[in-house]
Amino acid sequence: MLIDFVPDVAGVSLAESYAFIKAPGGAPANVACAIAKLGGNAAFIGKVGDDEFGHMLASLLKKSGVNSDGICFDKDARTALAFVTLKADGQREFMFYRSPSADMLLKESELKLDLIKQAKIFHYGSISLISEPCKSAHMAAMKAAKQAGVLLSYDPNVRLPLWPSPEAARDGIKSIWDQADFVKVSDDEVEFLTKGDPKKDDVVMSLWNDNFKLLIVTDGPEGCRYFTKKFKGKVNGYKVKTIDTTGAGDAFVGAFLQAVAKDPNLFNDEIKLKEALVFANACGAISTTQKGAIPSLPDKAQAENLIKEAK
């Protein structure tokens, strides 16, 4: 979990920006907040600095209805910061301040394993794989979840500036690929991981692993594609006035994981799966209509209204 500083005006470089809006973020934390906003039950595990920003983030999680028992505070390292360039179309570029930041210093001994073991789903990204000791903590958490029969959900959330090189990112992201039950990747991430055309199903299927229950590719405003052992298909997206795409994938994932927690049989029922993805697409779309990831997360009524309007 970190603070994104988002320019108050889109379409200018960081150097040209006069002012920045402070926006709490960090993909797994965004997903936890998305689940809570929709009435689900979520907990977060991670580390922030024992500083004003760190305590602000912890208190925001609590206010959002997320269990924050798994948060640690580091006395020696600061909370991570990211400056985000917003292009005119709401797409982003990142500049990170973490050398090292508190999130990178989460240790295996600091994990609240009981939180993981009692969960239905354990969701994670790839940024926690970049450096030690956080990488070992991440691997231990995955192992504990798997042994407890918890569903593993993986959204790599590629952030190339944080990796030593694109090759290191590809290798690191793929190093745990076969462990997940469910993987969500964006079309851009498919292109990065495969070096192929993400629009082609055979290129996407080169990422398939037989341990998966489901692979989802998000195609921005176009919606998403889904692939299981038995079926595959596409669910259309929604046209909205996009301001900031930060957290759109997390809003989508949060909505989808809440549906899976309610009905784990979703992966085997295409009609139910498509219903869940229609709702997740609506949540992802609404989250792009405001700046910042957590403040823009929709509730159930907002998503249902967008679905009705589209019909």
Side-chain angles (χ1 to χ4, degrees):
M1 199 176 189
L2 76 166
I3 310 260
D4 288 331
F5 284 92
V6 186
D8 60 348
V9 178
V12 296
S13 69
L14 290 179
E16 292 165 331
S17 300
Y18 281 101
F20 295 88
I21 294 158
K22 187 178 64 184
N30 297 343
V31 170
C33 290
I35 290 165
K37 187 86 182 262
L38 294 167
N41 193 0
F44 174 78
I45 292 177
K47 200 173 202 184
V48 292
D50 189 8
D51 51 39
E52 285 210 23
F53 284 151
H55 288 282
M56 181 199 106
L57 291 174
S59 118
L60 175 81
L61 277 186
K62 283 181 196 159
K63 277 186 200 147
S64 302
V66 175
N67 178 324
S68 60
D69 293 349
I71 293 188
C72 306
F73 295 91
D74 195 297
K75 293 205 179 314
D76 301 314
R78 297 283 192 209
T79 301
L81 308 179
F83 284 83
V84 186
T85 309
L86 278 187
K87 297 179 185 172
D89 62 357
Q91 294 296 325
R92 315 134 306 160
E93 284 171 359
F94 293 86
M95 186 166 84
F96 292 92
Y97 283 74
R98 27 187 345 248
S99 59
S101 54
D103 59 296
M104 300 161 74
L105 302 176
L106 180 70
K107 297 197 272 291
E108 185 180 338
S109 59
E110 293 169 322
L111 292 173
K112 293 271 195 306
L113 291 176
D114 54 329
L115 278 178
I116 294 169
K117 289 172 184 170
Q118 67 193 18
K120 287 184 178 172
I121 301 165
F122 178 57
H123 176 75
Y124 49 88
S126 69
I127 290 168
S128 40
L129 297 169
I130 296 172
S131 58
E132 293 290 3
C134 189
K135 182 180 178 181
S136 292
H138 178 132
M139 301 304 284
M142 274 174 58
K143 187 179 175 186
K146 201 141 192 105
Q147 285 174 347
V150 179
L151 195 79
L152 298 191
S153 164
Y154 184 24
D155 179 354
N157 252 302
V158 177
R159 296 285 179 267
L160 283 182
L162 294 178
W163 292 87
S165 69
E167 292 69 34
R170 238 177 246 112
D171 293 345
I173 287 163
K174 286 183 170 176
S175 68
I176 58 167
W177 201 253
D178 60 346
Q179 300 288 309
D181 295 291
F182 160 61
V183 170
K184 174 252 160 196
V185 277
S186 69
D187 48 355
D188 289 344
E189 288 166 340
V190 171
E191 186 173 1
F192 170 70
L193 291 169
T194 65
K195 302 183 183 176
D197 181 352
K199 291 185 173 62
K200 292 182 175 168
D201 283 359
D202 60 334
V203 171
V204 173
M205 285 307 287
S206 71
L207 293 173
W208 178 263
N209 185 284
D210 277 340
N211 293 337
F212 292 174
K213 290 181 167 67
L214 175 69
L215 172 65
I216 287 181
V217 178
T218 51
D219 292 309
E222 305 301 312
C224 66
R225 287 169 282 160
Y226 58 87
F227 303 83
T228 75
K229 288 183 176 118
K230 296 177 186 170
F231 47 78
K232 64 177 187 176
K234 178 177 177 3
V235 177
N236 290 327
Y238 297 89
K239 289 205 164 33
V240 293
K241 191 174 183 336
T242 294
I243 290 168
D244 177 11
T245 59
T246 307
D250 304 324
F252 174 95
V253 170
F256 181 70
L257 292 183
Q258 203 207 347
V260 173
K262 281 183 184 165
D263 183 6
N265 197 40
L266 211 65
F267 299 121
N268 305 311
D269 184 332
E270 191 169 10
I271 292 168
K272 282 184 178 173
L273 176 65
K274 284 180 94 161
E275 277 174 18
L277 292 174
V278 164
F279 185 79
N281 277 347
C283 290
I286 292 165
S287 79
T288 69
T289 60
Q290 281 186 61
K291 282 186 183 145
I294 293 170
S296 65
L297 292 167
D299 60 24
K300 195 173 175 217
Q302 287 173 293
E304 284 170 348
N305 284 342
L306 180 60
I307 294 165
K308 267 186 208 158
E309 283 167 18
K311 280 180 183 170

